[in-house]
């Protein structure tokens, strides 16, 4: 890769640069990614209107829009910070973890997109995964008691009927029937939803299925031997929940900016570019979409960012 491109892409995590320069480079990359992804979103809606009639493409576009809006919030908060007021005086709160929740959301959207749209090996497996994901979404609308049993409230019968229809769709496939016992248990209305998704695999020549949680998904997205990513989801999570270690890290963070304030936004840039690159696989001639309106350097930066966290 062009050395100049590499330096630009890695500048936000280059500790040899000043904190101010690292943040400046991060914001510039974020601006470019937002511009390029917005272009892709609008290109699909305006120039490929027929594609949007396909529910899967429309939902994929919604994935990209949701992630882009979340990333924009991350950008704004990173750039402007948090201003507090006390006794008529204003001061800026230093919090290098302030956008972790937003970055975590972008990561989880990337994970789900990957498992729903990219990872399945056959159309039949993709159909089962799609319906499994939809069932979990429907289950989130139901209430479950402390024993984990569904409590069907008045007016929720329609949701249960939709779930049963989706279950029927799953078991009308060969893959669904080969893995009937697990899928029947996991999709049953009486079982609460679990985070993450599912994947099919071969065990001793037979088709099998397993659940993949968000904190294990990095192995699929970035490579099993990618040690740098092993703790990623845990690191994001401890700053999104009231966890002791996360609060201790927050309490003990440096009072002055040491250059890490832009790291969550930088990770969000990488995840956004990665998801967009996957989305382009759905669009006709997606690999050429940037050719007319973006320079070669900009296209190289996009490609590099989408692969920063991926082991080559």
């Amino acid at each position: 890769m062009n050395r100049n491109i590499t330096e630009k892409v890695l500048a936000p995590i280059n500790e040899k640069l000043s904190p101010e320069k690292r943040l400046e480079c991060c914001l510039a990359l974020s601006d470019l990614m937002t511009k390029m992804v917005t272009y892709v979103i609008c290109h699909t809606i305006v120039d490929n209107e027929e594609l949007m009639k396909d529910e899967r493409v429309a939902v994929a576009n919604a994935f990209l829009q949701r992630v882009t809006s979340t990333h924009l919030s991350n950008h704004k908060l990173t750039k402007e910070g948090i201003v507090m007021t006390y006794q008529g005086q204003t001061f800026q709160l230093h919090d290098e973890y302030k956008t972790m929740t937003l970055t975590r959301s972008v990561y989880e959207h990337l994970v789900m997109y990957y498992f729903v749209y990219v990872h399945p090996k056959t159309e039949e497996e993709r159909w089962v995964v799609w319906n499994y994901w939809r069932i979990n979404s429907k289950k989130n609308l139901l209430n479950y008691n402390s024993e984990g049993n569904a409590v069907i409230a008045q007016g929720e019968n329609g949701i249960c009927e939709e779930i049963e229809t989706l279950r029927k769709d799953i078991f009308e496939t060969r893959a669904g029937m080969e893995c009937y016992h697990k899928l029947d248990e996991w999709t049953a209305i009486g079982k609460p939803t679990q985070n993450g998704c599912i994947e099919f695999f071969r065990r001793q020549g037979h088709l099998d299925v397993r659940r993949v949680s968000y904190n294990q998904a990095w192995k699929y997205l970035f490579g099993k031997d990618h040690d740098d990513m092993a703790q990623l989801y845990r690191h994001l999570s401890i700053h999104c929940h009231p966890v002791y270690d996360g609060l201790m890290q927050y309490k003990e963070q440096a009072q002055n900016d040491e250059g890490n304030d832009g790291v969550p936004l930088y990770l969000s840039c990488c995840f956004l570019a990665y998801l967009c690159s996957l989305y382009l696989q759905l669009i006709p001639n997606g690999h050429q979409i940037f050719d007319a309106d973006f320079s070669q350097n900009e296209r190289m930066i996009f490609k590099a960012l989408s692969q920063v966290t991926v082991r080559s």
Side-chain angles (χ1 to χ4, degrees):
M1 185 185 298
N2 183 297
R3 182 177 178 180
N4 184 47
I5 297 296
T6 301
E7 289 177 352
K8 284 184 177 180
V9 168
L10 298 180
I13 53 175
N14 183 354
E15 295 182 354
K16 294 180 181 180
L17 300 177
S18 68
E20 295 78 14
K21 184 62 177 178
R22 288 174 64 184
L23 181 58
E24 176 189 332
C25 293
C26 182
L27 292 172
L29 289 173
S30 178
D31 277 328
L32 178 59
M33 286 308 98
T34 301
K35 180 180 178 182
M36 296 181 79
V37 175
T38 300
Y39 179 90
V40 172
I41 292 169
C42 296
H43 171 75
T44 309
I45 295 172
V46 177
D47 301 323
N48 286 279
E49 187 177 356
E50 286 298 311
L51 283 177
M52 295 297 286
K53 294 179 181 179
D54 182 328
E55 182 185 31
R56 285 178 58 82
V57 176
V59 172
N61 193 271
F63 260 96
L64 197 56
Q65 288 190 52
R66 169 73 68 77
V67 168
T68 303
S69 65
T70 303
H71 178 78
L72 281 168
S73 298
N74 194 325
H75 182 105
K76 182 177 177 64
L77 185 54
T78 300
K79 183 177 181 178
E80 299 179 8
I82 301 172
V83 177
M84 311 286 283
T85 301
Y86 178 68
Q87 295 183 346
Q89 299 292 318
T90 60
F91 63 94
Q92 192 165 37
L93 175 68
H94 178 69
D95 177 7
E96 66 183 62
Y97 307 110
K98 58 185 174 292
T99 62
M100 281 292 195
T101 301
L102 298 169
T103 300
R104 179 172 177 261
S105 178
V106 171
Y107 170 75
E108 290 186 352
H109 278 74
L110 168 61
V111 168
M112 190 57 68
Y113 186 96
Y114 175 81
F115 279 98
V116 171
Y117 287 90
V118 181
H119 189 64
K121 298 178 179 63
T122 67
E123 283 299 320
E124 188 175 83
E125 290 178 11
R126 189 169 290 114
W127 176 245
V128 174
V129 172
W130 171 263
N131 285 314
Y132 175 87
W133 173 57
R134 292 182 64 193
I135 288 171
N136 271 351
S137 299
K138 298 294 181 184
K139 282 187 180 183
N140 285 327
L141 302 175
L142 300 176
N143 294 314
Y144 290 85
N145 60 26
S146 57
E147 284 75 40
N149 299 315
V151 180
I152 309 303
Q154 185 176 4
E156 292 182 342
N157 287 329
I159 297 173
C160 295
E161 291 173 2
E162 290 182 66
I163 291 174
E164 288 301 336
T165 298
L166 293 170
R167 277 165 49 84
K168 183 174 179 291
D169 288 343
I170 285 176
F171 299 126
E172 285 180 347
T173 67
R174 183 178 60 181
M177 288 307 297
E178 286 189 52
C179 303
Y180 178 83
H181 293 295
K182 287 183 179 179
L183 292 173
D184 180 52
E185 177 186 355
W186 296 343
T187 62
I189 293 175
K191 289 285 185 177
T193 183
Q194 300 223 349
N195 74 26
C197 201
I198 59 172
E199 71 151 343
F200 288 95
F201 65 102
R202 289 280 169 182
R203 187 198 299 272
Q204 297 179 342
H206 298 286
L207 191 67
D208 202 349
V209 65
R210 59 186 160 216
R211 288 188 286 206
V212 182
S213 61
Y214 288 116
N215 64 342
Q216 291 296 315
W218 64 269
K219 297 176 183 179
Y220 298 84
L221 291 165
F222 312 119
K224 293 182 179 180
D225 299 323
H226 202 325
D227 296 335
D228 291 342
M229 302 301 294
Q231 302 299 320
L232 172 66
Y233 189 72
R234 292 178 186 176
H235 183 64
L236 293 175
S237 294
I238 67 172
H239 293 291
C240 300
H241 300 295
V243 177
Y244 174 81
D245 288 339
L247 290 168
M248 286 300 293
Q249 286 185 27
Y250 177 86
K251 183 179 74 71
E252 295 171 357
Q253 68 180 307
Q255 294 302 306
N256 298 319
D257 181 10
E258 296 183 340
N260 297 319
D261 291 51
V263 171
L265 177 64
Y266 177 68
L267 287 172
S268 184
C269 280
C270 297
F271 299 150
L272 176 62
Y274 193 167
L275 193 152
C276 186
S277 69
L278 297 179
Y279 175 82
L280 289 175
Q281 296 175 17
L282 284 180
I283 309 303
N285 300 314
H287 63 289
Q288 299 175 343
I289 195 170
F290 296 129
D291 290 358
D293 293 280
F294 293 91
S295 69
Q296 182 179 8
N297 274 1
E298 289 172 329
R299 298 196 301 272
M300 290 174 66
I301 289 172
F302 174 87
K303 182 178 180 180
L305 271 177
S306 71
Q307 298 176 347
V308 162
T309 51
V310 182
R311 194 175 188 84
S312 58

